Amino acid sequence: MMEKYGKTQDSKNAVKGASRIDRARGMCKKLVGHFSHSWKKKEALKKAQRVLNLPEHSLITECPTRWGTRQRMMERILEQQRALSQVLSENRNTRHLVPSWQDIEVLESVNRALKPLQEFTDALSGEDYVREILWPDGGSTTSTFLI
């Protein structure tokens, strides 16, 4: 009976975790959409980036057919979090778009999990070059990739 309860509890936690990830991803998409449809908000973001000494990067849109855009979108939201919060907090109508600490926590966790996969995929996706791959156990492999 305990085994069954444990499995049920694990599946409930997994569903809860997935819904948190979906919520954070949806929040990112709303943020990116908001800034991509308003040139005033884009300019305000650039200004906030300069004031806060952040890199003047634009936000990245997730594209379902391009591998890695979800992780890059989340990473850019984390990078620009302070500037985004500053711009969105200025207007009462956009304050609801400011990411909560729970959203930020989920984004950081997802980014930590997906970043190594993204880097590995990028390393293998170049054209016709030699690449040395360092494995976590300290070993390395040098290979020529002809793609």
Side-chain angles (χ1 to χ4, degrees):
M1 189 68 171
M2 287 295 273
E3 214 173 290
K4 185 175 181 182
Y5 176 76
K7 289 180 181 177
T8 304
Q9 195 64 29
D10 288 345
S11 62
K12 284 181 181 178
N13 289 338
V15 169
K16 188 187 292 185
S19 67
R20 287 180 183 159
I21 293 170
D22 288 342
R23 175 184 150 64
R25 190 185 105 236
M27 179 268 313
C28 288
K29 290 178 79 167
K30 283 181 186 176
L31 274 174
V32 171
H34 183 75
F35 280 90
S36 67
H37 290 104
S38 171
W39 66 269
K40 287 183 179 180
K41 291 292 182 186
K42 283 182 192 175
E43 289 302 315
L45 180 61
K46 286 182 184 179
K47 182 180 176 185
Q49 288 169 333
R50 279 186 234 115
V51 168
L52 296 169
N53 293 321
L54 292 172
E56 289 189 37
H57 294 152
S58 59
L59 299 179
I60 297 173
T61 305
E62 176 186 22
C63 177
T65 59
R66 294 192 50 88
W67 163 248
T69 56
R70 180 176 297 173
Q71 184 270 330
R72 288 186 180 111
M73 174 183 68
M74 292 178 173
E75 184 177 43
R76 186 61 54 86
I77 296 288
L78 289 170
E79 176 193 85
Q80 299 296 326
Q81 175 191 351
R82 292 185 309 149
L84 291 167
S85 294
Q86 181 178 323
V87 171
L88 295 169
S89 296
E90 291 171 355
N91 186 338
R92 187 170 49 96
N93 295 328
T94 58
R95 286 187 187 140
H96 70 281
L97 293 173
V98 175
S100 68
W101 67 268
Q102 294 99 333
D103 292 329
I104 296 300
E105 205 171 80
V106 169
L107 291 176
E108 288 171 343
S109 296
V110 170
N111 190 50
R112 268 194 310 273
L114 294 181
K115 182 77 173 168
L117 296 172
Q118 180 68 41
E119 290 171 351
F120 185 73
T121 302
D122 287 347
L124 292 179
S125 65
E127 291 183 20
D128 193 17
Y129 58 85
V130 176
R131 175 67 71 160
E132 183 171 1
I133 300 172
L134 299 175
W135 299 103
D137 64 358
S140 70
T141 303
T142 303
S143 299
T144 302
F145 299 102
L146 297 173
I147 299 173

